[in-house]
Amino acid sequence: MTSASAPSLTIGMQIDAFLSNLESIPSTHLYIVVIAVSIVFSFLLLNSGRGSSMAMAMPDSERVVVKPSVGHKKKAKEGNNSDEPQPKWHILKITNYVATTAFFISVIQFASDATAYLNDSNALLSFLVIWSLLLCYFFGFFGISFVELDDFVKSIPAGEQVLVDARGKPNNIQCSPDPPVKVVNIHAPATSAPVCTDPASFKRSSSSTIPANLQELSDHDIATLVIEDTIKDHQLEKLLDPHRAVTVRRLKFNALLETLGRGMIWITSASLGLIAKLLWVCSHSRGNGGTCDVEWRECVHSHGYYGGLVASTNRGCKAISQGSGAISTIVGDGITRAPCIRLPSAQEAASVLLWIKEPANFLKLKESFESTTSFGKLIEASPTVAGRNVYLRLRCFSGDAMGMNMISKGSLAVIECLKAHFPNISLVALSGNMCTDKKAAAVNWIEGRGKSVVIEATIPKEVVRSTLKTSVPAIVETNINKNLIGSAMAGVVGGFNAHAANNVTAVFLATGQDPAQNVESANCISLMEETPEGDLWISCTMPSIEVGTVGGGTGLPAQASCLKVIGAKGGGVNPGDNARQLAHVVAAAVMAGELSLMAALASNSLVAAHMAHNRKPVSK
């Protein structure tokens, strides 16, 4: 039989015991301890207030507060170079010491004979009055520590900076005035973003280097200034009228293209106003595994447009060029057409399918197809049965043409060949929608259509930080959660990307492609990983880019000029070379756009970038 354990003390009982023990401590000693702690705490608050957040971020010897729009930090200089009245910070500091000392002495005096003072109402009143005044001072001055000196800076006239050194003494440095900057309020940066999205980072470059007599200079002289980077390309419409800006930009590109041996180009202002770009992306790429020297440039410009998409893609190209360059490989090449044919029974439809799958029979279809074209080559015939219907997906190599007319003509010859062996066949439609043209379809995503391209690049972590303004882990995490998980939750087909259709459509319009085919051509999955060295690896896989360099809109003057820029005008030395080169260009432009947009999303700077580079109306 065990003895009963002693009852445990409750929290309330423990508190009562603690208060009982306090009664044994003389009240005078307890009061002295409380006052001493209060004095130390108040003294620390008064003399180490947080002041400006910018000052706290710097060493004590170099604390400086500047206007947010000025991106340069300068050490504080001794002395005061301004005649403007300045706060007497040193007097306030001396007053702190005097008030603290007086409070401390009064407390010691009171504690030395607390019982007598408590019984003397006049003496007690004197102490209370003194302490009340000192406490009012303490709390009043304590409030100053919450005043941001940045707010004080905003009242300084343009051209001045207020510098505060470690002693709290302000100094002024006269600076050249900056042009007014439009500050855009944006969402706070993501916690994973290493670079602060300060609106000041979107400040326009200083106009001090732009010649005052710019309007009087010749177009050739202004083009030279653009090439020398004295004037930014995107500033032309703001400094000149839009029509003259087009002329200057044309002269600039002619000069640049001559260095590549591409000769002169002529792009009329009647060109598609939407396109303010192209480029020579992949200008040195030839064939599979070619390395693309990526550089994004404007090519067509008719309405004063230099928007966020152009600036963003330009940044992506810059980052790729600073890294490994773009390595693009074509893994498939063949345009498709899928006629729908019908038979009297499902059994007969199945018989047609089995007949087509015989290699010897495919050769008969191939011979019939290729009898209609000089360049087209039938690569594959894939039949699918649905009841009495047979959908025969034909895939052919079409040289440098996109190939829809070529394969349609050849498909009719294939149907005639089948009728010779199966008289009961009837053609329902030359296109049975399993091609699939101008519609989102899993068959294009899985089997491919046109040019199937995979492109990759490695971006050093330093470039990710300096050019893309984010970190490798941040952009990788954003890509996984947005482009992969988010797209999967949406149930997309081929849409595992940020905005591939933007740059696909841009290049299509600029080079005379069928813009409606951006539906399947923009099929893309963008993958990003962190390498063992901490760099960023990015790839874009695009299985169905439908492009050509002959026929259709490729012969229009502006579009032909853009194809000439990238060395892909007309037919290639070998059939298909130029069309494949254009496919490399499309993939590289998409990867550059994906890279830059994902970086903007990872650092929450998308809205600010759009506001800074937004399209603005041209003043009349």
Side-chain angles (χ1 to χ4, degrees):
M1 189 173 180
T2 58
S3 59
S5 59
S8 59
L9 295 177
T10 64
I11 296 178
M13 297 171 65
Q14 293 178 8
I15 294 175
D16 291 339
F18 175 74
L19 294 176
S20 299
N21 293 333
L22 288 180
E23 294 178 356
S24 61
I25 302 176
S27 59
T28 303
H29 295 172
L30 184 61
Y31 186 75
I32 291 175
V33 172
V34 173
I35 294 299
V37 171
S38 301
I39 291 173
V40 173
F41 182 67
S42 300
F43 186 80
L44 291 176
L45 288 177
L46 288 174
N47 292 279
S48 62
R50 65 186 181 93
S52 173
S53 59
M54 188 178 297
M56 288 296 293
M58 298 184 179
D60 289 342
S61 60
E62 296 184 351
R63 267 186 206 167
V64 58
V65 177
V66 300
K67 293 186 296 182
S69 61
V70 179
H72 304 286
K73 299 175 182 178
K74 298 182 179 180
K75 292 185 178 181
K77 295 183 178 180
E78 298 294 332
N80 192 345
N81 298 325
S82 174
D83 295 332
E84 298 292 331
Q86 302 294 327
K88 305 299 182 180
W89 300 105
H90 62 286
I91 295 179
L92 292 175
K93 190 171 184 179
I94 294 174
T95 307
N96 287 347
Y97 285 109
V98 172
T100 303
T101 303
F103 185 70
F104 187 72
I105 293 175
S106 65
V107 170
I108 293 177
Q109 182 179 355
F110 181 84
S112 64
D113 194 4
T115 304
Y117 288 124
L118 287 173
N119 294 327
D120 187 346
S121 59
N122 292 330
L124 181 61
L125 179 61
S126 300
F127 278 107
L128 291 176
V129 170
I130 294 174
W131 291 341
S132 298
L133 293 175
L134 291 175
L135 287 175
C136 287
Y137 172 79
F138 289 156
F139 285 110
F141 196 80
F142 172 69
I144 297 178
S145 66
F146 289 100
V147 176
E148 286 287 354
L149 293 182
D150 293 342
D151 296 333
F152 171 74
V153 171
K154 291 180 180 179
S155 64
I156 301 298
E160 293 187 11
Q161 291 180 339
V162 176
L163 302 172
V164 182
D165 58 20
R167 300 171 299 174
K169 186 174 182 180
N171 297 289
N172 288 342
I173 295 179
Q174 298 294 332
C175 303
S176 60
D178 289 330
V181 179
K182 179 181 179 181
V183 177
V184 181
N185 294 322
I186 58 177
H187 191 278
T191 55
S192 60
V195 181
C196 179
T197 41
D198 184 356
S201 65
F202 299 101
K203 187 179 100 171
R204 306 298 199 277
S205 59
S206 175
S207 59
S208 58
T209 58
I210 299 176
N213 62 338
L214 182 66
Q215 296 284 351
E216 302 173 3
L217 298 179
S218 67
D219 292 342
H220 284 86
D221 291 338
I222 298 176
T224 301
L225 294 176
V226 177
I227 294 175
E228 295 173 350
D229 209 30
T230 302
I231 298 176
K232 299 295 182 183
D233 192 290
H234 64 82
Q235 293 178 311
L236 289 176
E237 279 67 35
K238 298 171 185 165
L239 300 174
L240 309 170
D241 67 83
H243 297 287
R244 191 179 183 193
V246 172
T247 302
V248 171
R249 189 172 284 108
R250 182 183 299 127
L251 292 171
K252 168 203 168 183
F253 273 100
N254 283 336
L256 293 175
L257 290 172
E258 284 180 345
T259 64
L260 297 177
R262 301 284 169 83
M264 303 291 285
I265 63 172
W266 186 257
I267 304 173
T268 67
S269 60
S271 304
L272 297 168
L274 173 64
I275 306 304
K277 43 183 165 281
L278 212 77
L279 71 2
W280 60 88
V281 180
C282 302
S283 59
H284 299 286
S285 173
R286 288 295 181 269
N288 287 355
T291 299
C292 307
D293 295 336
V294 182
E295 186 172 0
W296 187 266
R297 290 291 184 262
E298 286 189 287
C299 184
V300 183
H301 198 308
S302 62
H303 296 292
Y305 170 60
Y306 190 93
L309 178 61
V310 179
S312 178
T313 307
N314 184 60
R315 182 175 74 155
C317 290
K318 178 181 179 182
I320 293 172
S321 297
Q322 291 172 326
S324 65
I327 302 172
S328 179
T329 305
I330 290 181
V331 298
D333 187 355
I335 194 66
T336 62
R337 176 63 87 194
C340 174
I341 54 180
R342 191 172 179 83
L343 289 103
S345 67
Q347 183 181 23
E348 291 180 81
S351 298
V352 172
L353 179 147
L354 295 174
W355 187 89
I356 294 173
K357 285 183 175 293
E358 291 292 333
N361 296 332
F362 170 74
L363 292 178
K364 296 177 182 179
L365 301 180
K366 179 178 174 68
E367 182 181 1
S368 297
F369 182 97
E370 294 177 4
S371 66
T372 65
T373 173
S374 300
F375 294 98
K377 304 296 179 182
L378 185 63
I379 301 171
E380 183 182 21
S382 300
T384 300
V385 168
R388 294 191 295 152
N389 291 350
V390 178
Y391 298 88
L392 182 55
R393 193 170 193 261
L394 304 173
R395 184 164 68 93
C396 88
F397 170 74
S398 58
D400 287 305
M402 189 272 289
M404 288 307 300
N405 293 332
M406 182 187 300
I407 195 172
S408 295
K409 185 178 179 181
S411 296
L412 291 174
V414 168
I415 299 302
E416 293 301 319
C417 179
L418 286 173
K419 283 184 176 182
H421 295 84
F422 299 92
N424 291 331
I425 281 180
S426 62
L427 177 63
V428 177
L430 182 60
S431 173
N433 269 12
M434 274 198 68
C435 311
T436 296
D437 189 43
K438 301 179 178 67
K439 289 169 283 294
V443 67
N444 291 338
W445 176 241
I446 297 170
E447 299 293 337
R449 189 171 196 251
K451 310 296 188 288
S452 298
V453 184
V454 59
I455 189 168
E456 64 181 339
T458 300
I459 315 300
K461 54 181 176 294
E462 296 81 8
V463 175
V464 174
R465 191 175 186 86
S466 61
T467 300
L468 300 177
K469 303 297 188 291
T470 186
S471 69
V472 175
I475 193 172
V476 169
E477 180 184 4
T478 304
N479 186 72
I480 291 173
N481 287 281
K482 170 186 167 61
N483 287 343
L484 303 185
I485 299 177
S487 295
M489 295 301 294
V492 302
V493 176
F496 297 89
N497 58 80
H499 68 145
N502 259 335
N503 283 309
V504 168
T505 305
V507 179
F508 271 31
L509 290 174
T511 57
Q513 310 305 305
D514 185 346
Q517 288 184 321
N518 75 338
V519 178
E520 60 268 34
S521 296
N523 281 341
C524 173
I525 181 169
S526 299
L527 300 176
M528 299 183 190
E529 299 175 11
E530 184 174 4
T531 68
E533 295 78 20
D535 299 330
L536 175 65
W537 176 83
I538 177 175
S539 75
C540 290
T541 303
M542 305 181 69
S544 50
I545 301 177
E546 300 163 0
V547 292
T549 57
V550 296
T554 62
L556 297 173
Q559 282 65 29
S561 294
C562 289
L563 288 171
K564 187 177 181 180
V565 168
I566 60 175
K569 180 183 178 183
V573 175
N574 300 307
D577 280 355
N578 283 357
R580 284 190 288 266
Q581 168 70 359
L582 179 55
H584 287 305
V585 168
V586 173
V590 167
M591 185 170 68
E594 293 288 287
L595 184 63
S596 186
L597 176 57
M598 292 309 300
L601 291 172
S603 61
N604 279 336
S605 60
L606 176 65
V607 175
H610 269 281
M611 296 304 296
H613 299 289
N614 195 22
R615 186 189 311 205
K616 298 176 177 63
V618 179
S619 58
K620 300 289 185 178

